[in-house]
Amino acid sequence: MVGEPEGHRRLVEDVASIYEWIAEQLRRQSGRVGRCNACGACCDFPSYGHRLFVTPPELIYLAARLDVSRFPPMPGGRCPYQQDNRCSIHEHRFAGCRIFHCRGDSSFQGELSEAALKRLKTLCEEFGIPYRYLDLPAAMNTFELG
């Protein structure tokens, strides 16, 4: 189970492996990925006109990597980890953040997102975690580890 120290550690490692798999898929399809200019526009979800969804394993991974039991609230729709138009948690960011690029091939991004979600859902099943697909503000405002 994930609540046990060994199970928690394994879940975090398994999410890291999924993120490494995403990076490999992006490297293999570099022509379809698009180039991120790090403008930070996509981190302001209402202004950019999109939503980011996350899963429980990703939240557990981020909480472990940041060593927190709660996340900062997200009342305005802008990611609280965006600092000076930069992602302050870039190496620990969610799957959706890793996959999305403004100028990328949306078909490829959709296919990769579906494949990543399938892997994350499998982790939920393996670790006995209810699978939820929450938009980031709801997840950030309600998540509590422990």
Side-chain angles (χ1 to χ4, degrees):
M1 288 299 285
V2 76
E4 301 165 10
E6 177 61 19
H8 185 85
R9 183 189 61 72
R10 275 191 40 240
L11 176 67
V12 170
E13 289 173 359
D14 288 352
V15 172
S17 293
I18 291 171
Y19 288 167
E20 290 168 14
W21 175 82
I22 290 170
E24 178 59 27
Q25 302 312 303
L26 293 170
R27 276 190 296 277
R28 288 182 180 175
Q29 296 289 328
S30 62
R32 299 176 72 192
V33 172
R35 181 164 165 77
C36 178
N37 64 2
C39 67
C42 62
C43 298
D44 184 352
F45 301 105
S47 295
Y48 197 76
H50 74 144
R51 295 167 69 183
L52 173 65
F53 290 87
V54 297
T55 62
E58 294 176 278
L59 295 167
I60 293 168
Y61 169 88
L62 183 60
R65 292 295 197 222
L66 300 180
D67 195 23
V68 299
S69 60
R70 301 194 75 199
F71 297 117
M74 195 174 158
R78 178 181 290 274
C79 181
Y81 293 108
Q82 185 192 41
Q83 309 281 318
D84 299 321
N85 288 337
R86 298 276 189 242
C87 178
S88 64
I89 60 165
H90 191 264
E91 80 178 89
H92 307 303
R93 70 199 184 282
F94 302 110
C97 300
R98 293 167 189 274
I99 294 169
F100 179 77
H101 291 86
C102 314
R103 296 182 198 95
D105 178 331
S106 61
S107 173
F108 168 70
Q109 291 176 24
E111 292 166 12
L112 184 54
S113 291
E114 289 301 317
L117 286 172
K118 187 180 277 188
R119 289 169 179 247
L120 290 162
K121 187 173 187 176
T122 298
L123 286 184
C124 286
E125 293 166 358
E126 180 182 336
F127 287 93
I129 302 168
Y131 178 75
R132 294 184 186 97
Y133 192 51
L134 298 168
D135 73 333
L136 187 60
M140 296 291 272
N141 293 335
T142 61
F143 178 83
E144 237 179 287
L145 186 62

